[in-house]
């Protein structure tokens, strides 16, 4: 990491300002591709919410990214509204953060194309998310070209707004590092234009694991609904899923490298209750998995049910969410258009200065 010297110092991150004195800018995105789950919440959304008063924030529903795999138009449209409601219900505050839909700001797609020219084929081929999502060599032949250039669009999302920090889960680290490389290369070729961003990955919660297999991360694309807790799951479903979650051999409620299942459950308990893992371990010492899981079920239900209540209120008045997204798009567009005027000039497009 040392060679990737950040442009933003850690002390500045704490105060929320960059060296120049301006407030640090945060950008993050999420795909409208189905069930938002506890991993998304603990690894990403919750951190966005907690930090939003400290920074200038843009949170983006990345619908163009969702088109990199086959999707039906009706499903996509419904998923966009659901994700917007989920983010608002989780605490994204439109007065502190710009919440918008990626395709409402055309500059993302335009910048992606320009950045494709400074991105190497080999860099994209090495992306682990592409390797995971494209499967073996046989299926890789048939996946869309959009899935391959997906990280370039992500880079465009971020650097279009001069974002300093990108709060994401661990799985996105490689994409943010590529974004830095792309920004650096563009700057070297055309003169200082973009801010190379830094990932903001928390030590806890950045990788919540599947409930039915603690060696795999909790994922939207999982085949079994028992592997994740969706933010939309009702209380009984949550309790049942926690009860069925796999545990490690032995019977002790203790986190350790050789106890991946309990480590994961303890992490979830700790993040949602605000208690240290050691305190929780002590409480359940000698009491076995049953009591622990029962209480964990309640901890999760209590954290999620207020979000569900707010979501129901938002769903009852769709015009409100529509207005928030329209306002967000307008504010984002203003920044994006200004930046793209400079970018076009730098690469030699348009009339020139
Ligand atoms: P995705 O579900 O891939 O659209 O991811 C949206 C955001 O949630 C990204 O910041 C991811 O890094 C984060 N995320 C996804 N899955 C997990 C997980 N299992 N644990 C922690 N963060 C996650
Ligand atoms: N690739 C991210 C994911 O799978 C989503 C994303 C798109 C994103 N653009 C972004 C995240 C910009 C952070 C910043 O979760």
């Amino acid at each position: 990491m040392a060679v990737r010297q950040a442009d933003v110092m850690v002390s500045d991150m704490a105060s929320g300002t960059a060296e120049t004195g301006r407030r640090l800018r945060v950008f993050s995105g999420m795909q409208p591709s189905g069930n938002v789950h506890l991993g998304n919440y603990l690894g990403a959304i919750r951190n966005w919410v907690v930090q939003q008063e400290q920074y200038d924030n843009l949170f983006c529903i990345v619908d163009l990214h969702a088109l990199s795999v086959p999707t039906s138009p009706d499903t996509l449209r419904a998923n966009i509204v659901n994700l917007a409601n989920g983010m608002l219900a989780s605490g994204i505050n439109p007065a502190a953060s710009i919440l918008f839909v990626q395709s409402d700001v055309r500059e993302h797609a335009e910048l992606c194309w320009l950045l494709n020219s400074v991105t190497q084929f080999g860099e994209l081929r090495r992306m682990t998310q592409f390797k995971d999502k494209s499967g073996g060599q046989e299926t890789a032949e048939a996946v869309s070209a959009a899935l391959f250039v997906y990280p370039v669009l992500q880079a465009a999302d971020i650097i279009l707004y001069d974002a300093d920090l990108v709060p994401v889960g661990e799985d996105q680290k490689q994409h943010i590092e590529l974004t830095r490389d792309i920004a650096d290369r563009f700057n070297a070729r055309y003169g200082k234009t973009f801010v190379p961003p830094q990932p903001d990955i928390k030590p806890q919660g950045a990788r919540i694991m599947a409930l039915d297999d603690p060696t795999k991360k909790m994922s939207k694309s999982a085949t079994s609904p028992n592997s994740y807790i969706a933010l939309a799951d009702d209380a009984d479903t949550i309790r049942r899923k926690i009860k069925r979650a796999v545990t490690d051999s032995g019977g002790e409620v203790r986190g350790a490298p050789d106890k991946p299942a309990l480590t994961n459950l303890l992490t979830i308990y700790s993040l949602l209750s605000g208690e240290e893992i050691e305190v929780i371990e002590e409480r359940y010492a000698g009491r076995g998995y049953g009591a622990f899981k029962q209480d964990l079920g309640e901890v999760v239900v209590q954290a999620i049910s207020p979000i569900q209540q707010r979501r129901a209120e938002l769903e009852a008045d769709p015009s409100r969410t529509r207005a928030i997204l329209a306002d967000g798009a307008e504010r984002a567009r203003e920044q994006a258009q200004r930046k793209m005027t400079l970018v076009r000039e730098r690469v030699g497009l348009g009339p020139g200065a």
Side-chain angles (χ1 to χ4, degrees), residues 28-33 37-45 48 129 133 150 167-172 205-210 217-220:
S28 202
M30 196 167 283
Q31 290 192 68
S33 54
H37 56 70
L38 201 56
N40 298 134
Y41 181 68
L42 294 175
I45 302 177
W48 305 351
Q129 184 169 303
K133 289 199 177 176
Y150 176 115
V168 280
E170 177 68 36
D171 59 349
Q172 294 301 310
R207 201 170 155 76
I208 298 294
M209 308 311 279
K217 68 169 187 163
M218 190 176 281
S219 155
K220 280 176 188 158

Side-chain angles (χ1 to χ4, degrees), residues 27-29 31 62 65 129 150 154 157-158 166 168 172 175:
F27 186 102
S28 202
Q31 290 192 68
V62 292
H65 278 106
Q129 184 169 303
Y150 176 115
Q154 180 166 356
D157 296 342
I158 298 167
V166 188
V168 280
Q172 294 301 310
H175 287 172

Side-chain angles (χ1 to χ4, degrees), residues 106-124:
R106 307 291 150 107
E107 283 73 11
H108 290 244
E110 183 185 359
L111 180 57
C112 173
W113 183 255
L114 299 181
L115 296 182
N116 277 334
S117 307
V118 295
T119 307
Q120 297 165 355
F121 182 84
E123 284 175 318
L124 294 177

Side-chain angles (χ1 to χ4, degrees), residues 16-278:
T17 51
E19 286 144 72
T20 54
R22 74 165 169 86
R23 256 154 77 97
L24 289 182
R25 186 162 300 152
V26 158
F27 186 102
S28 202
M30 196 167 283
Q31 290 192 68
S33 54
N35 271 329
V36 179
H37 56 70
L38 201 56
N40 298 134
Y41 181 68
L42 294 175
I45 302 177
R46 186 171 173 270
N47 300 323
W48 305 351
V49 170
V50 171
Q51 302 177 350
Q52 72 184 330
E53 307 295 336
Q54 201 179 335
Y55 301 121
D56 285 336
N57 318 280
L58 294 118
F59 298 118
C60 186
I61 296 171
V62 292
D63 54 350
L64 297 177
H65 278 106
L67 285 170
S68 60
V69 291
T71 321
S72 92
D74 289 342
T75 308
L76 180 60
R77 228 172 252 126
N79 282 346
I80 291 169
V81 176
N82 280 339
L83 182 55
N85 284 336
M87 285 182 178
L88 291 167
S90 300
I92 298 295
N93 170 8
S97 303
I98 295 177
L99 176 65
F100 73 108
V101 178
Q102 186 185 37
S103 64
D104 282 345
V105 182
R106 307 291 150 107
E107 283 73 11
H108 290 244
E110 183 185 359
L111 180 57
C112 173
W113 183 255
L114 299 181
L115 296 182
N116 277 334
S117 307
V118 295
T119 307
Q120 297 165 355
F121 182 84
E123 284 175 318
L124 294 177
R125 204 175 39 191
R126 284 194 290 277
M127 292 292 117
T128 50
Q129 184 169 303
F130 175 72
K131 288 195 248 178
D132 289 349
K133 289 199 177 176
S134 58
Q137 187 132 40
E138 296 281 296
T139 48
E141 290 294 305
V143 300
S144 71
L147 194 66
F148 191 64
V149 297
Y150 176 115
V152 187
L153 180 58
Q154 180 166 356
D157 296 342
I158 298 167
I159 66 180
L160 186 54
Y161 300 97
D162 289 335
D164 305 287
L165 290 176
V166 188
V168 280
E170 177 68 36
D171 59 349
Q172 294 301 310
K173 188 166 176 228
Q174 199 186 27
H175 287 172
I176 313 305
E177 283 170 358
L178 176 66
T179 301
R180 288 182 65 83
D181 291 342
I182 291 174
D184 284 337
R185 197 171 303 135
F186 189 102
N187 288 346
R189 195 172 295 180
Y190 296 110
K192 178 108 184 82
T193 309
F194 295 117
V195 174
Q198 259 204 93
D200 175 17
I201 299 170
K202 306 295 176 205
Q204 258 205 342
R207 201 170 155 76
I208 298 294
M209 308 311 279
L211 297 180
D212 59 350
D213 181 356
T215 63
K216 296 205 183 101
K217 68 169 187 163
M218 190 176 281
S219 155
K220 280 176 188 158
S221 49
T223 40
S224 165
N226 287 326
S227 70
Y228 60 81
I229 289 177
L231 285 196
D233 281 345
D234 62 36
D236 283 340
T237 306
I238 293 171
R239 292 188 186 104
R240 182 171 45 77
K241 287 183 178 178
I242 301 268
K243 203 181 252 176
R244 289 180 59 151
V246 301
T247 45
D248 305 298
S249 56
E252 248 179 299
V253 178
R254 193 168 56 83
D258 63 338
K259 301 209 176 282
L262 263 291
T263 302
N264 188 43
L265 297 178
L266 279 162
T267 301
I268 295 172
Y269 195 128
S270 166
L271 287 169
L272 292 179
S273 68
E275 293 177 308
E276 296 291 334
I277 289 192
E278 297 76 46

